[in-house]
């Protein structure tokens, strides 16, 4: 059985490495600050007893006041998982750091989020639209998109 | 005078270069060798995730049929499991067994198609494919008994299945279980030792285990690279923890291993179905639920080991009758991430075969 790590404990360890990186946590998810994401991701991937080498999925949800990015991480060796979430405020031109360097599996998924949700990924090697064509007006998965 | 050549960029597609769907590859060749490849997606994009935001939880089952249309049962299962997790619905035992039986039948059907089309891509046009389709047809016949449909099944519901298996289903399943191992032997006699198949697939399009994990590859493709990871064992759902089966893995991560892992998985699926037939209890197949579900506020992610890999649904509820967000983790889509690393350096003919061995379905890639 894949064990969902105690998010409170993980949050405590993240905050030891970088104070204030975690905004809040519940049983299974940790919410991190936007400017701490890359550091937190590195910590989660490289710490031997966490060992999150596998990025299951990246998702974005439009909650109108903010966008929430959801990173589902997995360690196949230890068979445990954690969910990292991050809030991005502002609808005009939201930008978040790309994690393609750490997990190349994020490549197509980040392009999809840019395409459908309109969130830019800083330092993504090839941030182009993926399912829709260049020049398509708007980003359809946003809640205020009127087709 | 020295003769020089320049790289040429051409389009393969926009149809699947080996006819599984609508897909385009922009490939740059140096002579006959692939130097760069850029997949172009989106020709089959129907906005499934957006459509789901204006459908009730039960209606969305029909949308999932149209993702990977060669594995509707697996799509149904992944989706209803996410709804059950979100809404806290208990599933009756008999329904869980029926779901495992149908999902494993679907895996066999999907792997048969993958194998048939791989042979098609290798140039063995149509004949081996028809052998595979002949067996797949028997599975579709059984699905028709269950729910009246053959491809877009919509057999599962949040909390159970649409209806119990009719009386004629069980003898048909028994015959299938008795006859299919011999059929798989025939198929293997035709393919596994075939000198041409070996020459074209051994060592071709190698995907190493580290790259496979880094690029979030799942399913037979990951296991062919030697990583023993299968959600049915690693994170058992439904009744998989009561069943005995093995997880076949490959060694080299090449096209041949991807083929062989699928053949071996079909044999394991038969074992799983046999045990389910022995164990399945009598009882209800669906709890009484309101017509429109209104799950409590929150989110849930549930995944199953589909024929292509980890198929997951991430649902967010705002207590409405439709999900606030319905994200699909599509294995076909994510499995294409390392495509470039796999095909660069190989020739045109190999590109088609390597791509075929990834086994993508465009309905799921583009959603």
């Amino acid at each position: 059985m894949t064990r969902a790590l105690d998010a409170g404990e993980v949050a405590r360890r993240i905050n030891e490495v970088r104070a204030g990186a975690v905004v809040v946590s519940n049983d299974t998810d940790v919410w991190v600050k936007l400017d701490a994401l890359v550091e937190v991701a590195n910590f989660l991937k490289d710490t031997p007893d966490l060992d999150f080498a596998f990025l299951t999925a990246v998702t974005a949800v439009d909650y109108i006041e903010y966008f929430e990015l959801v990173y589902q991480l997995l360690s196949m060796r230890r068979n445990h998982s954690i969910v990292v979430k991050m809030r991005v405020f502002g609808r005009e031109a939201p930008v978040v750091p790309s994690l393609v360097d750490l997990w190349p599996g994020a490549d197509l998924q980040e392009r999809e989020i840019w395409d459908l949700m309109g969130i830019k990924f800083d330092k993504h090697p090839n941030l182009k639209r993926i399912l829709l064509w260049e020049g398509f007006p708007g980003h359809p998965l946003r809640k205020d998109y009127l087709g | 005078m020295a003769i020089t050549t320049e790289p040429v960029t051409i389009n393969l597609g926009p149809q699947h270069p080996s006819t599984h769907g609508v897909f385009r590859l922009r490939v740059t060749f140096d002579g006959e060798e692939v130097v760069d490849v850029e997949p172009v997606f989106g020709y089959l994009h129907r906005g499934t995730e957006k459509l789901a935001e204006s459908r009730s939880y039960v209606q969305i089952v029909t949308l999932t049929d149209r993702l990977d249309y060669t594995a509707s049962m697996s799509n149904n299962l992944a989706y209803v499991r996410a709804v059950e997790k979100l809404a806290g619905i208990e599933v009756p035992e008999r329904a869980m067994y029926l779901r495992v039986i149908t999902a494993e039948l679907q895996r066999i059907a999907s792997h048969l198609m993958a194998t048939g089309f791989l042979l098609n891509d290798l140039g063995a046009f149509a004949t081996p494919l028809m052998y595979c389709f002949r067996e797949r047809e028997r599975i579709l016949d059984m699905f028709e008994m269950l729910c009246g449909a053959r491809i877009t099944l919509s057999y599962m519901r949040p909390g159970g299945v649409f209806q119990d298996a009719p009386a004629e289903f069980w003898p048909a399943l028994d015959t299938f279980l008795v006859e299919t191992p011999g059929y798989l032997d025939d198929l293997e006699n035709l393919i596994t030792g075939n000198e041409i198949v070996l020459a074209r697939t051994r060592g071709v399009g190698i995907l190493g285990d580290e790259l496979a994990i880094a690029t979030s590859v799942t399913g037979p493709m990951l296991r062919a690279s030697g990583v023993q990871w299968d959600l049915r064992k690693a994170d058992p759902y439904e009744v998989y923890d009561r069943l005995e089966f093995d997880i076949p893995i490959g060694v080299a991560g090449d096209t041949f291993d991807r083929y062989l892992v699928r053949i071996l998985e079909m044999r394991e699926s038969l074992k799983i179905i046999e045990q389910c037939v022995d164990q399945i209890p009598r009882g209800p197949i669906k709890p009484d639920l309101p017509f429109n579900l209104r799950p409590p506020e929150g989110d849930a992610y549930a995944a199953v080991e589909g024929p292509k890999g980890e198929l997951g649904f991430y649902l967010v509820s705002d207590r409405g009758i439709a999900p606030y967000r319905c994200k699909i983790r599509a294995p076909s889509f994510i499995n294409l991430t390392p495509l470039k690393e796999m095909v660069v350096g190989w020739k045109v003919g190999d590109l088609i075969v390597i791509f075929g061995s990834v086994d993508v379905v465009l309905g799921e890639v583009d959603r």
Side-chain angles (χ1 to χ4, degrees), chain B residues 213-282:
Chain B
I213 291 175
T215 49
S216 302
V217 165
T218 49
M221 205 172 146
L222 176 68
R223 292 189 283 278
S225 299
V227 183
Q228 195 154 33
W229 180 263
D230 187 315
L231 289 178
R232 292 174 294 169
K233 279 268 192 236
D235 192 12
Y237 49 92
E238 304 292 294
V239 293
Y240 281 109
D241 50 351
R242 302 177 206 171
L243 306 168
E244 271 175 43
F245 58 100
D246 296 319
I247 305 297
I249 57 168
V251 184
D254 56 6
T255 303
F256 182 76
D257 279 1
R258 286 192 280 277
Y259 151 76
L260 198 60
V261 162
R262 292 198 179 96
I263 296 282
L264 296 173
E265 278 188 10
M266 286 193 257
R267 295 188 189 276
E268 294 303 317
S269 292
L270 290 172
K271 269 169 44 183
I272 293 174
I273 300 169
E274 265 171 33
Q275 295 172 50
C276 286
V277 173
D278 290 341
Q279 294 178 13
I280 187 167
R282 288 177 188 282

Side-chain angles (χ1 to χ4, degrees), chain A residues 2 6 25 32 41 58 62 70 110 114:
Chain A
T2 304
D6 176 7
S25 65
V32 301
V58 191
D62 180 2
V70 184
E110 288 185 350
W114 156 240

